[in-house]
Amino acid sequence: MKKIEKALASLAIAGMALTMIPSNAFAESAVSTRTSLGSGTGQQIVEQIADKGGPSNKASIDQIVTEIMSYRGYLNPSEKESLNQARTNFLTAAQNGTLWSAADGLLTEQVVAKFQAEGVTRAEAKVAIIQSLQAFQAIHYSDDNATLERALVKFITQNGRTFRTLFGDDFKAELFYGFMMATQDELQKEIKKEIKHNPLSLLGFGGSSSSALKGKLVECLKTALHNVTGPVNSKYHAFDQKLADIGWNIDLLVETQRQVGVVIDPSNAAEKAVAMSVIRSQIQCKINGTMSDPLTPLTLKKADNKLKLVLAVKGIDTGAFNIAGLLAWKTDNSAIATVAEDGSSIKAGTTEGTTVITAYRMNDSQVEANELIRITVAVD
């Protein structure tokens, strides 16, 4: 893989790793499926789980929701719709049997034997695994805090027994959560190394097709997870061992996820949405020297004129590169606010209201699908 592809794929896969690992993280140690939970809001149920499973469980859920949503907050409306559609497609596929073949690879002799030891038939084991896959996809394609929290709670309450059967009672949530963070750290190191070598490589992501980006995700996910679990002296090598005990490995899990994606996200729009949200989260925007949060509207007065705009990449010295000048810029309503053609400044218009300023790759016809920066501007 070319360096430019490797760096960009690493950015995208960070988001995938963040959503892949937590789904299993709570599966067997937080709450038994035999535990009776009362009705209530997601927050109330989480508190019940914390009461029964210990305070660390509530903290872990909060941490994971915060971590994942730090990326998902950068989704645009059409991308959120892609995630919603993928969730809907999974429900349909689970009901009509389309996904059954995707679970076949996970029904190894060892897995079947573990379920049968619990008095569960092979057919019932397959249903349990598909239910776990469905719960994982609900987490993977969540686009707001409430939906994600509900998905995590549902995963805990419905799939705990399945993962205890597969991995045993000694495989704790804390190990999974640490594994997730270690994977994230590994990816961030690679990102910084590659972007330091070529800061402009970040722009390549904006023009990647959904299929091309998905291919990079699959390849890099394998590499990243192997880097964390492979070394024998790694504390997460136990994860590799647990998988081996049931005839699974990281490549098999990634391939299963790919097969599921073919069914529920055939255009790869949802996967690209997840990737693009991660990419955008790595870009920093300074306006008149002050760091601006792209998720928080920029409030201007009518008299505000030519506020200096500078883009950078988190943790990387990109001062020698004018990233904003390499992008194309547009405003949804020039009467409210305009942006210089080279992205160097923002100017308030003569009309009060709210508009959106967007940056994307030059000569890109798919602006919304490939936007790298979205700044909401309010003029009063």
Side-chain angles (χ1 to χ4, degrees):
M1 179 181 292
K2 296 178 182 179
K3 286 188 175 181
I4 181 172
E5 293 178 340
K6 187 177 180 183
L8 300 179
S10 297
L11 264 176
I13 199 58
M16 191 180 231
L18 282 170
T19 50
M20 177 179 178
I21 305 307
S23 62
N24 297 343
F26 302 108
E28 48 74 42
S29 68
V31 178
S32 167
T33 53
R34 302 182 183 87
T35 299
S36 175
L37 292 175
S39 61
T41 64
Q43 180 63 27
Q44 290 169 336
I45 294 174
V46 169
E47 289 172 356
Q48 292 180 56
I49 290 173
D51 290 341
K52 296 178 182 295
S56 64
N57 292 313
K58 173 63 167 60
S60 295
I61 289 177
D62 284 347
Q63 285 177 310
I64 289 182
V65 169
T66 299
E67 190 74 30
I68 294 176
M69 291 314 300
S70 70
Y71 296 90
R72 299 301 170 78
Y74 291 87
L75 293 166
N76 63 40
S78 67
E79 290 169 338
K80 289 185 178 183
E81 180 56 36
S82 295
L83 298 189
N84 290 333
Q85 187 61 55
R87 289 200 303 269
T88 300
N89 290 347
F90 195 106
L91 290 174
T92 301
Q95 292 170 355
N96 64 24
T98 310
L99 281 176
W100 280 70
S101 60
D104 285 339
L106 299 179
L107 285 173
T108 61
E109 292 182 3
Q110 299 96 316
V111 167
V112 173
K114 282 183 174 289
F115 274 106
Q116 289 179 339
E118 298 280 334
V120 178
T121 67
R122 187 181 191 280
E124 291 170 335
K126 192 169 187 177
V127 171
I129 287 177
I130 289 177
Q131 177 178 282
S132 298
L133 288 173
Q134 180 176 341
F136 160 63
Q137 299 302 330
I139 296 170
H140 186 53
Y141 294 129
S142 293
D143 60 4
D144 61 65
N145 288 50
T147 301
L148 177 57
E149 186 176 283
R150 286 195 299 269
L152 286 168
V153 171
K154 189 173 182 179
F155 194 98
I156 294 168
T157 56
Q158 291 188 354
N159 298 282
R161 184 179 179 183
T162 295
F163 281 87
R164 279 192 302 278
T165 297
L166 293 174
F167 300 119
D169 293 333
D170 62 328
F171 204 41
K172 301 302 182 182
E174 290 76 9
L175 181 63
F176 269 114
Y177 184 66
F179 174 55
M180 180 200 73
M181 298 309 295
T183 301
Q184 174 67 4
D185 289 344
E186 181 72 19
L187 289 166
Q188 290 299 323
K189 290 177 184 177
E190 185 176 0
I191 292 166
K192 291 179 180 180
K193 177 184 68 177
E194 296 296 339
I195 296 181
K196 277 183 178 179
H197 177 71
N198 180 18
L200 302 184
S201 64
L202 183 67
L203 306 180
F205 247 140
S208 297
S209 68
S210 297
S211 297
L213 190 52
K214 178 66 175 290
K216 297 171 189 175
L217 288 175
V218 171
E219 182 176 341
C220 287
L221 180 56
K222 292 180 183 179
T223 301
L225 295 177
H226 279 302
N227 286 346
V228 175
T229 61
V232 176
N233 61 346
S234 167
K235 66 183 293 186
Y236 303 109
H237 186 63
F239 184 51
D240 244 4
Q241 295 172 324
K242 288 285 186 180
L243 291 178
D245 289 344
I246 59 173
W248 289 6
N249 55 55
I250 287 172
D251 289 1
L252 174 62
L253 295 180
V254 174
E255 174 59 20
T256 300
Q257 169 66 8
R258 187 196 66 77
Q259 292 180 26
V260 170
V262 169
V263 176
I264 69 173
D265 184 31
S267 69
N268 297 316
E271 288 297 338
K272 182 169 184 179
V274 172
M276 291 302 293
S277 69
V278 177
I279 297 163
R280 295 177 193 126
S281 73
Q282 299 301 306
I283 301 175
Q284 294 177 321
C285 179
K286 283 187 178 182
I287 298 177
N288 272 8
T290 301
M291 196 66 69
S292 174
D293 178 6
L295 302 180
T296 303
L298 172 65
T299 301
L300 303 178
K301 299 294 183 182
K302 288 183 182 180
D304 288 339
N305 185 26
K306 292 188 176 181
L307 282 75
K308 185 178 180 182
L309 189 155
V310 177
L311 300 182
V313 179
K314 290 182 179 179
I316 304 295
D317 181 9
T318 55
F321 296 87
N322 178 17
I323 296 177
L326 298 172
L327 299 173
W329 293 80
K330 76 178 187 71
T331 178
D332 288 353
N333 190 330
S334 59
I336 297 175
T338 58
V339 58
E341 186 176 346
D342 62 358
S344 61
S345 63
I346 294 176
K347 179 181 178 181
T350 58
T351 302
E352 294 182 358
T354 301
T355 188
V356 175
I357 290 175
T358 308
Y360 52 98
R361 281 212 328 176
M362 295 280 192
N363 305 315
D364 195 333
S365 59
Q366 294 182 302
V367 176
E368 186 171 5
N370 294 328
E371 66 182 42
L372 289 171
I373 294 287
R374 168 176 285 241
I375 303 172
T376 301
V377 180
V379 176
D380 57 23

